[in-house]
Tab-separated table of all heavy atoms in Angstrom:
chain	number	residue	atom	x	y	z
A	1	GLY	N	4.709	-5.161	-7.172
A	1	GLY	CA	5.507	-3.951	-6.965
A	1	GLY	C	4.685	-2.793	-6.438
A	1	GLY	O	5.166	-2.001	-5.620
A	2	ILE	N	3.444	-2.682	-6.901
A	2	ILE	CA	2.588	-1.582	-6.463
A	2	ILE	C	2.132	-1.786	-5.023
A	2	ILE	O	2.278	-0.908	-4.166
A	2	ILE	CB	1.363	-1.447	-7.391
A	2	ILE	CG1	1.804	-1.064	-8.802
A	2	ILE	CG2	0.373	-0.422	-6.822
A	2	ILE	CD1	0.669	-1.017	-9.803
A	3	ASN	N	1.563	-2.951	-4.733
A	3	ASN	CA	0.890	-3.156	-3.446
A	3	ASN	C	1.816	-3.523	-2.293
A	3	ASN	O	1.446	-3.339	-1.133
A	3	ASN	CB	-0.191	-4.230	-3.597
A	3	ASN	CG	-1.438	-3.693	-4.260
A	3	ASN	OD1	-1.665	-2.492	-4.266
A	3	ASN	ND2	-2.242	-4.565	-4.821
A	4	LEU	N	2.982	-4.064	-2.592
A	4	LEU	CA	3.912	-4.390	-1.518
A	4	LEU	C	4.910	-3.271	-1.257
A	4	LEU	O	5.340	-3.075	-0.117
A	4	LEU	CB	4.668	-5.688	-1.833
A	4	LEU	CG	4.049	-6.979	-1.265
A	4	LEU	CD1	2.644	-7.188	-1.813
A	4	LEU	CD2	4.928	-8.179	-1.582
A	5	TYR	N	5.263	-2.532	-2.301
A	5	TYR	CA	6.301	-1.512	-2.174
A	5	TYR	C	5.735	-0.090	-2.255
A	5	TYR	O	5.818	0.681	-1.301
A	5	TYR	CB	7.352	-1.690	-3.276
A	5	TYR	CG	8.168	-2.949	-3.202
A	5	TYR	CD1	7.629	-4.171	-3.597
A	5	TYR	CD2	9.498	-2.931	-2.763
A	5	TYR	CE1	8.379	-5.335	-3.546
A	5	TYR	CE2	10.258	-4.082	-2.716
A	5	TYR	CZ	9.693	-5.293	-3.103
A	5	TYR	OH	10.439	-6.444	-3.051
A	6	ASP	N	5.188	0.237	-3.434
A	6	ASP	CA	4.886	1.638	-3.737
A	6	ASP	C	3.711	2.202	-2.947
A	6	ASP	O	3.816	3.268	-2.336
A	6	ASP	CB	4.608	1.798	-5.237
A	6	ASP	CG	5.825	1.463	-6.082
A	6	ASP	OD1	6.942	1.566	-5.552
A	6	ASP	OD2	5.647	1.088	-7.258
A	7	LYS	N	2.575	1.518	-2.981
A	7	LYS	CA	1.385	2.097	-2.368
A	7	LYS	C	1.509	2.268	-0.852
A	7	LYS	O	1.119	3.316	-0.322
A	7	LYS	CB	0.145	1.270	-2.718
A	7	LYS	CG	-1.154	1.956	-2.315
A	7	LYS	CD	-2.381	1.206	-2.819
A	7	LYS	CE	-3.661	1.907	-2.422
A	7	LYS	NZ	-4.867	1.203	-2.904
A	8	PRO	N	2.049	1.271	-0.109
A	8	PRO	CA	2.237	1.503	1.326
A	8	PRO	C	3.191	2.661	1.612
A	8	PRO	O	2.967	3.434	2.547
A	8	PRO	CB	2.803	0.172	1.831
A	8	PRO	CG	2.373	-0.831	0.823
A	8	PRO	CD	2.371	-0.116	-0.485
A	9	ALA	N	4.255	2.776	0.800
A	9	ALA	CA	5.189	3.888	0.979
A	9	ALA	C	4.504	5.212	0.679
A	9	ALA	O	4.699	6.209	1.390
A	9	ALA	CB	6.403	3.703	0.078
A	10	ASN	N	3.683	5.248	-0.372
A	10	ASN	CA	2.913	6.457	-0.681
A	10	ASN	C	1.983	6.815	0.474
A	10	ASN	O	1.872	7.981	0.874
A	10	ASN	CB	2.079	6.245	-1.946
A	10	ASN	CG	2.911	6.061	-3.191
A	10	ASN	OD1	4.081	6.432	-3.221
A	10	ASN	ND2	2.324	5.486	-4.218
A	11	ALA	N	1.304	5.794	0.988
A	11	ALA	CA	0.336	6.024	2.064
A	11	ALA	C	1.018	6.599	3.305
A	11	ALA	O	0.539	7.577	3.899
A	11	ALA	CB	-0.372	4.717	2.412
A	12	LEU	N	2.129	6.015	3.721
A	12	LEU	CA	2.801	6.486	4.930
A	12	LEU	C	3.410	7.869	4.727
A	12	LEU	O	3.466	8.675	5.665
A	12	LEU	CB	3.866	5.485	5.353
A	12	LEU	CG	3.325	4.112	5.785
A	12	LEU	CD1	4.461	3.184	6.171
A	12	LEU	CD2	2.339	4.251	6.936
A	13	THR	N	3.868	8.153	3.520
A	13	THR	CA	4.365	9.495	3.227
A	13	THR	C	3.235	10.514	3.341
A	13	THR	O	3.406	11.609	3.894
A	13	THR	CB	4.973	9.545	1.815
A	13	THR	OG1	6.070	8.626	1.750
A	13	THR	CG2	5.488	10.938	1.484
A	14	MET	N	2.068	10.163	2.809
A	14	MET	CA	0.906	11.044	2.919
A	14	MET	C	0.487	11.221	4.371
A	14	MET	O	0.163	12.336	4.813
A	14	MET	CB	-0.249	10.458	2.098
A	14	MET	CG	-1.468	11.345	1.981
A	14	MET	SD	-1.174	12.964	1.218
A	14	MET	CE	-0.330	12.503	-0.309
A	15	LEU	N	0.501	10.138	5.140
A	15	LEU	CA	0.134	10.201	6.554
A	15	LEU	C	1.096	11.108	7.315
A	15	LEU	O	0.686	11.897	8.168
A	15	LEU	CB	0.133	8.797	7.155
A	15	LEU	CG	-0.339	8.650	8.597
A	15	LEU	CD1	-1.798	9.071	8.749
A	15	LEU	CD2	-0.156	7.206	9.076
A	16	ARG	N	2.373	11.016	6.983
A	16	ARG	CA	3.393	11.826	7.660
A	16	ARG	C	3.337	13.294	7.248
A	16	ARG	O	3.400	14.191	8.090
A	16	ARG	CB	4.781	11.262	7.351
A	16	ARG	CG	5.940	11.975	8.062
A	16	ARG	CD	7.250	11.273	7.742
A	16	ARG	NE	8.350	11.762	8.555
A	16	ARG	CZ	9.280	12.623	8.126
A	16	ARG	NH1	9.230	13.097	6.881
A	16	ARG	NH2	10.264	13.001	8.928
A	17	ASN	N	3.226	13.542	5.974
A	17	ASN	CA	3.352	14.913	5.474
A	17	ASN	C	2.074	15.733	5.581
A	17	ASN	O	2.134	16.936	5.844
A	17	ASN	CB	3.814	14.907	4.021
A	17	ASN	CG	5.240	14.419	3.853
A	17	ASN	OD1	5.961	14.248	4.830
A	17	ASN	ND2	5.645	14.200	2.629
A	18	GLN	N	0.913	15.088	5.367
A	18	GLN	CA	-0.313	15.860	5.229
A	18	GLN	C	-1.371	15.597	6.293
A	18	GLN	O	-2.285	16.399	6.445
A	18	GLN	CB	-0.932	15.589	3.839
A	18	GLN	CG	-0.013	15.857	2.675
A	18	GLN	CD	0.500	17.283	2.609
A	18	GLN	OE1	-0.050	18.186	3.231
A	18	GLN	NE2	1.564	17.501	1.860
A	19	VAL	N	-1.287	14.469	6.989
A	19	VAL	CA	-2.339	14.133	7.959
A	19	VAL	C	-1.867	14.368	9.391
A	19	VAL	O	-2.460	15.160	10.138
A	19	VAL	CB	-2.807	12.672	7.775
A	19	VAL	CG1	-3.871	12.319	8.827
A	19	VAL	CG2	-3.365	12.461	6.372
A	20	LEU	N	-0.789	13.703	9.797
A	20	LEU	CA	-0.323	13.815	11.175
A	20	LEU	C	0.722	14.907	11.371
A	20	LEU	O	0.805	15.513	12.438
A	20	LEU	CB	0.270	12.477	11.640
A	20	LEU	CG	-0.699	11.311	11.786
A	20	LEU	CD1	0.050	10.062	12.236
A	20	LEU	CD2	-1.825	11.642	12.755
A	21	GLY	N	1.527	15.147	10.360
A	21	GLY	CA	2.687	16.019	10.535
A	21	GLY	C	3.899	15.188	10.914
A	21	GLY	O	3.786	14.099	11.479
A	22	LYS	N	5.071	15.691	10.580
A	22	LYS	CA	6.291	14.907	10.725
A	22	LYS	C	6.603	14.547	12.176
A	22	LYS	O	6.992	13.416	12.468
A	22	LYS	CB	7.457	15.657	10.088
A	22	LYS	CG	7.292	15.843	8.588
A	22	LYS	CD	8.433	16.643	7.976
A	22	LYS	CE	8.211	16.812	6.473
A	22	LYS	NZ	9.300	17.601	5.845
A	23	ASP	N	6.473	15.492	13.085
A	23	ASP	CA	6.852	15.227	14.479
A	23	ASP	C	5.969	14.145	15.092
A	23	ASP	O	6.475	13.211	15.739
A	23	ASP	CB	6.765	16.507	15.310
A	23	ASP	CG	7.837	17.526	14.939
A	23	ASP	OD1	8.833	17.120	14.292
A	23	ASP	OD2	7.677	18.712	15.275
A	24	LEU	N	4.666	14.265	14.915
A	24	LEU	CA	3.742	13.299	15.515
A	24	LEU	C	3.886	11.936	14.861
A	24	LEU	O	3.902	10.897	15.540
A	24	LEU	CB	2.306	13.808	15.375
A	24	LEU	CG	1.236	13.068	16.178
A	24	LEU	CD1	1.582	13.057	17.661
A	24	LEU	CD2	-0.128	13.722	15.954
């Protein structure tokens, strides 16, 4: 549950919100 669902979703949310920004 952690490695297939939660952690990838957490990672992509972090990438979108804090690293790249939503538009990019």
Side-chain angles (χ1 to χ4, degrees):
I2 296 175
N3 282 339
L4 267 60
Y5 294 76
D6 297 336
K7 190 173 180 180
N10 294 340
L12 295 179
T13 299
M14 187 59 52
L15 185 63
R16 183 177 189 258
N17 292 350
Q18 304 301 343
V19 178
L20 293 179
K22 296 178 181 179
D23 291 342
L24 191 56

